[in-house]
Amino acid sequence: VTPVNHQIRLAGRPEGLPTPDDWSLGEAELPEPGPGELVVAVSHISIDPAMRAWMNPVRSYIAPVEIGAVMRAGAAGEVIASQHPGFAVGDRVSGAFGVQEYALSDGQGVAKLDLSLAPAQSYLGVLGFPGLTAYFGLLDVGRMQRGDVVAISGAAGAVGSVAGQIAKLHGCRVIGIAGGEQKCRWLVDELGFDAAIDYKADDVRAKLKEYAPDGVDVFFDNVGGDILDTVMLRLARGARVVICGAISQYNATDRPGGATNYMQLVVARASMTGFVVFDWAERFPEAVSALAEWLARGELIAKEDIVHGSISDFPDTLLKLFRGENVGKLVLALDGAR
Ligand SMILES: NC(=O)c1ccc[n+]([C@@H]2O[C@H](COP(=O)([O-])OP(=O)(O)OC[C@H]3O[C@@H](n4cnc5c(N)ncnc54)[C@H](OP(=O)(O)O)[C@@H]3O)[C@@H](O)[C@H]2O)c1
């Protein structure tokens, strides 16, 4: 029997949270590689907040996904056919393979994975874009220095959990902001954060005053909205506010909130900078080797939250991000599919 390639295609442009109607489950023939091409059997799909933004037909740092197209996704898998000189059958690889079981690729942006270092899913987390985002966001954009007080929102997620650990490895005092007591306890007890604030239960402003009496030197923001506005009131002189993302606003149906307290940038002589990790592509090898070394030494904990399922589980798995159900990097593992 010839296997079928199950795919998730974008069917609609959501207002607010995506609904099942925004997706269609398609079937395609198993692709055949032409000269210079390879075919990958996808094993792990990266589930990212940015996917929500890619569904919008607006100007961004990357083109929106077209209606009817296979949903864009980073993924890992195994090469099952190759006419590409750089890749052989059996190679484990990562790349932008999309939400589908088999991907045809010309090798662009495809990386070989060293599974002796870490399992495939870690290449979508600590050793993938989330890890790289934390690394360059803190060290380059945030110009983090030893002794800084670093606050991180979305702290128990893929990017935030790595960011906090990198800040600790650089001798900083780290305050995480996350939803729920369990996540906060995990940040302090397992990842070594100095303090954690449960934004769903605590008074964030009062807790920040308690944990960072002299203010925050670097704020690494994954969340935006009210949390951004509140931390802006606690900036130390010369603070750097790093805008990594604003997940609290990704499903907003009216104008996004947050950053109304921007005059605090004047008071604190602070800066606020947005960034896109792709701009550091030339330096990815440097960051991956630093992250891999910390991982190998046991100084960095890789935490993935794996949903075992099939392609058809993608729509609901994506919503877990907006419900705050993941701890660490959310990954859909396709072990049920084949
Ligand atoms: N700039 C770049 O190049 C770049 C690259 C990668 C990712 N990003 C951004 O980085 C951020 C984190 O991405 P990730 O992959 O690491 O996702 P993640 O943090 O693993 O998952 C999303 C988390 O966001 C929190 N959240 C959801 N809705 C929220 C709300 N309304 N208010 C506050 N928190 C909310 C939830 O945690 P709680 O339980 O704590 O609420 C959830 O677990 C996103 O904003 C993403 O767009 C940027």
Side-chain angles (χ1 to χ4, degrees):
V1 201
T2 324
V4 173
N5 184 17
H6 293 103
Q7 308 172 314
I8 289 285
R9 295 174 172 274
L10 186 64
R13 303 235 180 253
E15 286 269 321
L17 274 178
T19 70
D21 292 343
D22 295 320
W23 308 106
S24 67
L25 180 64
E27 289 187 357
E29 279 181 26
L30 192 67
E32 287 276 343
E37 293 180 331
L38 60 147
V39 174
V40 176
V42 172
S43 59
H44 297 85
I45 296 176
S46 175
I47 309 293
D48 292 275
M51 288 172 153
R52 177 63 189 84
W54 302 337
M55 298 171 80
N56 296 334
V58 294
R59 176 181 167 269
S60 186
Y61 62 93
I62 193 169
V65 176
E66 297 294 334
I67 297 287
V70 173
M71 182 59 192
R72 179 186 294 139
E78 183 173 345
V79 177
I80 56 163
S82 179
Q83 288 209 52
H84 189 293
F87 298 95
V89 170
D91 282 349
R92 299 297 291 263
V93 290
S94 67
F97 300 138
V99 184
Q100 56 184 341
E101 291 170 340
Y102 299 94
L104 182 67
S105 167
D106 61 6
Q108 277 257 12
V110 177
K112 280 195 214 181
L113 311 183
D114 177 358
L115 296 195
S116 69
L117 210 59
Q121 63 260 26
S122 296
Y123 287 89
L124 303 178
V126 168
L127 297 178
F129 284 117
L132 294 165
T133 301
Y135 184 93
F136 291 110
L138 278 178
L139 294 170
D140 273 55
V141 186
R143 302 187 310 278
M144 185 179 69
Q145 304 290 326
R146 177 165 290 277
D148 276 350
V149 174
V150 178
I152 299 168
S153 63
V159 175
S161 62
V162 181
Q165 295 184 81
I166 292 176
K168 283 310 300 175
L169 283 161
H170 283 79
C172 295
R173 182 172 160 73
V174 181
I175 302 160
I177 304 172
E181 195 195 334
Q182 231 177 327
K183 285 189 181 185
C184 288
R185 216 176 314 122
W186 178 69
L187 293 174
V188 173
D189 294 350
E190 305 292 326
L191 300 191
F193 282 47
D194 296 283
I197 300 172
D198 173 5
Y199 74 87
K200 291 182 175 168
D202 295 336
D203 176 341
V204 177
R205 190 174 176 183
K207 285 280 176 191
L208 265 178
K209 199 166 179 182
E210 179 185 337
Y211 296 140
D214 299 325
V216 166
D217 298 299
V218 177
F219 177 42
F220 189 102
D221 188 24
N222 289 308
V223 161
D226 290 344
I227 290 177
L228 169 61
D229 240 0
T230 303
V231 180
M232 296 280 283
L233 298 171
R234 298 290 319 156
L235 298 180
R237 190 164 175 151
R240 285 82 68 201
V241 177
V242 180
I243 305 295
C244 176
I247 191 169
S248 73
Q249 306 301 310
Y250 291 176
N251 293 293
T253 47
D254 42 7
R255 279 181 67 191
T260 56
N261 291 328
Y262 73 91
M263 277 303 289
Q264 294 299 318
L265 297 173
V266 176
V267 176
R269 288 78 159 170
S271 66
M272 180 187 268
T273 312
F275 76 104
V276 175
V277 66
F278 303 146
D279 296 345
W280 276 265
E282 279 182 11
R283 287 179 53 203
F284 284 174
E286 161 204 324
V288 171
S289 68
L291 291 159
E293 199 172 318
W294 288 323
L295 199 59
R297 288 208 295 252
E299 295 171 351
L300 184 59
I301 292 172
K303 171 68 179 160
E304 294 98 22
D305 200 326
I306 311 278
V307 173
H308 296 272
S310 64
I311 285 292
S312 58
D313 293 309
F314 168 78
D316 192 57
T317 307
L318 177 63
L319 295 180
K320 286 170 78 76
L321 292 173
F322 303 109
R323 295 194 291 249
E325 287 174 1
N326 64 304
V327 179
K329 173 64 206 166
L330 186 60
V331 173
L332 176 60
L334 297 185
D335 33 24
R338 284 184 302 277

